[in-house]
Amino acid sequence: MANKKLNGTVIVTYRCNARCSMCNRYKAPSKPEEEISIETIKKLKLNLSFPVMIDTEYGNDKHTGRADNIDNESRTDAVIAFLERIMEAGYQSAIYASNSWFKDQLNYNRIKKYPKWVAKYSDTAPTVRDNLIGWQKSSHGENTPRNDICYKRR
């Protein structure tokens, strides 16, 4: 996630790898996700205090996003490549996903060492705890504040 302060508010964005029908221009990108993210950060001259995150969850309810039906190892390879390239460019990186996605759709043993922001809409803490930097407790956000807990800041 990249952030930019505006009147004391932190606006958070992140790179969604799955893509949905709203993101047609990214259905077949000419560059890897991490390069698009790095270019965007540099272009906007963002002063980051949160990691640049990747989200590989399903792009829509029909699971027709371009990365929705790849196997767990390929998805994990892509996530690790993204994280490593972002770090090579001098930024912090992390993975955003639901508690179950980390366990069911990624090879968790391979990503244990990387920072994670877990979405688990509950008052019960996530079971994903290795290198946990944040917990999204609700899905609200557009006009209603979300209830997120940040465990680590720069």
Side-chain angles (χ1 to χ4, degrees):
M1 292 182 182
N3 64 62
K4 193 170 189 176
K5 291 183 180 174
L6 178 66
N7 294 328
T9 301
V10 176
I11 298 173
V12 180
T13 62
Y14 66 98
R15 169 68 50 204
C16 176
N17 191 25
R19 302 292 169 249
C20 58
S21 59
M22 294 171 43
C23 306
N24 287 330
R25 67 188 184 128
Y26 290 114
K27 285 204 178 209
S30 58
K31 298 177 185 178
E33 303 293 336
E34 54 272 21
E35 297 305 325
I36 295 170
S37 297
I38 292 166
E39 286 177 7
T40 302
I41 292 164
K42 288 180 179 178
K43 181 180 177 181
L44 296 176
K45 299 178 181 166
L46 298 175
N47 180 12
L48 303 179
S49 59
F50 279 85
V52 178
M53 294 195 196
I54 185 166
D55 177 358
T56 63
E57 295 172 299
Y58 294 128
N60 57 53
D61 292 339
K62 295 179 183 176
H63 303 185
T64 57
R66 67 180 172 82
D68 285 355
N69 295 304
I70 63 174
D71 63 88
N72 292 9
E73 288 304 315
S74 296
R75 182 177 289 112
T76 303
D77 289 343
V79 165
I80 291 171
F82 178 92
L83 298 168
E84 293 293 331
R85 179 62 187 107
I86 294 297
M87 288 187 292
E88 285 173 13
Y91 303 104
Q92 296 178 73
S93 62
I95 312 163
Y96 170 90
S98 69
N99 195 74
S100 60
W101 190 268
F102 277 110
K103 299 290 186 170
D104 299 338
Q105 301 296 327
L106 293 163
N107 180 331
Y108 190 75
N109 285 328
R110 292 180 57 206
I111 59 168
K112 275 185 177 182
K113 71 177 185 176
Y114 296 102
K116 296 163 197 69
W117 192 287
V118 179
K120 183 172 187 276
Y121 309 151
S122 167
D123 287 331
T124 305
T127 56
V128 171
R129 303 242 173 119
D130 298 295
N131 216 344
L132 183 63
I133 62 169
W135 169 18
Q136 180 186 343
K137 293 180 70 174
S138 70
S139 63
H140 307 298
E142 189 172 320
N143 294 313
T144 307
R146 279 197 348 213
N147 187 7
D148 288 12
I149 298 172
C150 183
Y151 295 108
K152 180 180 177 183
R153 290 217 42 181
R154 185 188 287 188

